[in-house]
Amino acid sequence: MQHTLRFILVAALLGTLAAARPIDEPFQRTSPAARLSQQLATYRGSGLTLAQCNQRMRDMNTLLTGAGYRNQGSRLLQDGTHMSKWYHPDRDTTVMAFSGTNASGNAMQVGELAGHVRWNELIAMP
């Protein structure tokens, strides 16, 4: 009888706690990786000035290093495109960002790739 009473009390308590939460709460939760992907998407753009591109690169560096990514450096490509990349060893994910270097009218693209993309893998082959 005592076990039954305990069970009823625990069930009532759990029911009260479950009722206090919104029903759709689990759907509002997103993984840290999904949230990071959403944040990275906000850095993309077109028609940007050089100052805006540089600021976005700095802000993205702060975001990514805070999330455990390691800055792998930047390169200026032959066509004048600025490229930066970051790598997260635990997630085995590389984030790459490309932006123009003109005074105005630049585009910025950001992408996530599975694995550790090395600089020599980005060399264009004839």
Side-chain angles (χ1 to χ4, degrees):
M1 182 76 169
Q2 232 176 347
H3 293 291
T4 305
L5 182 58
R6 248 188 244 154
F7 176 76
I8 291 171
L9 288 173
V10 169
L13 179 61
L14 290 176
T16 303
L17 291 175
R21 291 184 307 172
I23 293 172
D24 61 345
E25 182 182 284
F27 300 108
Q28 293 175 356
R29 293 183 186 165
T30 56
S31 70
R35 282 193 303 272
L36 183 64
S37 291
Q38 291 168 351
Q39 289 175 305
L40 288 174
T42 65
Y43 290 102
R44 296 181 185 126
S46 60
L48 303 171
T49 65
L50 180 58
Q52 288 172 315
C53 289
N54 290 338
Q55 184 62 50
R56 287 177 185 216
M57 285 285 192
R58 283 190 296 271
D59 293 347
M60 195 168 23
N61 184 61
T62 301
L63 172 71
L64 290 168
T65 56
Y69 282 78
R70 295 180 184 153
N71 186 310
Q72 301 283 293
S74 295
R75 301 276 194 280
L76 186 60
L77 306 180
Q78 288 180 351
D79 68 352
T81 302
H82 176 235
M83 182 188 133
S84 294
K85 72 182 191 95
W86 298 262
Y87 176 69
H88 196 296
D90 296 334
R91 292 184 184 154
D92 194 28
T93 304
T94 301
V95 172
M96 302 176 73
F98 299 87
S99 70
T101 56
N102 297 323
S104 62
N106 296 302
M108 185 160 182
Q109 290 296 322
V110 180
E112 294 176 89
L113 302 167
H116 188 189
V117 179
R118 291 177 169 71
W119 289 109
N120 63 352
E121 294 177 90
L122 302 171
I123 297 172
M125 301 302 283

